[in-house]
Amino acid sequence: MDTAPSLDQAQLTFRDATEDDVPALVRLVESAYRGESSRAGWTTEAHLLEGQRTDADGVRAVVTAPESRMMVAERDGETVACCQLEHRGDAAYFGMFAVRPQMQGGGLGKAVIAEAERAVRQGWGVSEMHMTVISAREELIAWYERRGYRRTGEMSPFPYGDERFGVPQRDDLAFELLIKEL
């Protein structure tokens, strides 16, 4: 089995996405979470949800919103990861996190989340990072806990009936708020 290239094999660069990046970012997010391609990585939600994870309008809204940015990670000029960062008062929201499935497991996700935390501390002066994760994603939540995030037990409902977020394969999906002190 091939392993993901380690970070020391190629330099990562970070930048803010532009509207020109929207199609590539939609493909990246979809490949990391949905469909057969997502099964190459460990972050797939294909067993929980079918259909789309996002669309061009959703990504464009993040890219163009005044209190938001979509951070793109590139290696050798190629987009390999992204995340949404949104300024919400004393906190930043972290979302739409995607790493190319074939590159998962090599430290890329750790590098992206560390850069996102550094960027919001420095750029917005926030003291916390917030995110919501589907509560059934125990392995993913454990990964975030190893990065210093804590479960709050605060749940919000999954948007059943809104296919912009996918077609649920279970009737018990909800989002849990995770928080990290920065």
Side-chain angles (χ1 to χ4, degrees), residues 95-111:
M96 217 178 293
F97 183 30
V99 173
R100 186 174 295 169
Q102 304 85 343
M103 300 179 90
Q104 293 176 13
L108 180 55
K110 291 177 197 173

Side-chain angles (χ1 to χ4, degrees), residues 85-94 116-122 124-131 148-150 152 154 177-182:
L85 298 169
E86 185 179 319
H87 192 187
R88 295 183 178 176
D90 292 337
Y93 178 79
F94 179 85
E117 292 166 358
R118 185 207 61 77
V120 299
R121 256 191 333 266
Q122 186 176 62
W124 294 332
V126 297
S127 59
E128 290 182 338
M129 184 80 91
H130 294 189
M131 70 174 70
Y149 288 80
R150 66 177 170 78
T152 64
E154 186 177 321
L177 175 65
L178 306 183
I179 295 177
K180 180 177 181 177
E181 302 287 329
L182 300 176

Side-chain angles (χ1 to χ4, degrees), residues 1 26 36 112-113 131 138 148-149 158 174:
M1 180 172 137
V26 170
E36 204 52 43
V112 172
I113 200 166
M131 70 174 70
E138 291 294 337
Y149 288 80
F158 186 86

Side-chain angles (χ1 to χ4, degrees), residues 8-87:
D8 59 7
Q9 292 176 338
Q11 184 66 31
L12 273 183
T13 57
F14 296 96
R15 65 175 176 83
D16 285 346
T18 68
E19 287 192 65
D20 291 340
D21 294 309
V22 168
L25 293 172
V26 170
R27 284 190 303 275
L28 173 63
V29 171
E30 291 297 311
S31 75
Y33 289 97
R34 302 289 163 75
E36 204 52 43
S37 66
S38 70
R39 295 180 194 277
W42 68 272
T43 61
T44 184
E45 293 175 344
H47 60 294
L48 299 174
L49 297 153
E50 291 181 354
Q52 72 178 30
R53 168 67 166 72
T54 192
D55 58 24
D57 290 340
V59 173
R60 188 173 296 104
V62 172
V63 169
T64 60
E67 290 293 315
S68 177
R69 61 187 281 213
M70 179 71 86
M71 188 175 75
V72 175
E74 295 178 323
R75 178 181 283 162
D76 298 328
E78 195 173 341
T79 298
V80 295
C82 67
C83 68
Q84 167 192 7
L85 298 169
E86 185 179 319
H87 192 187

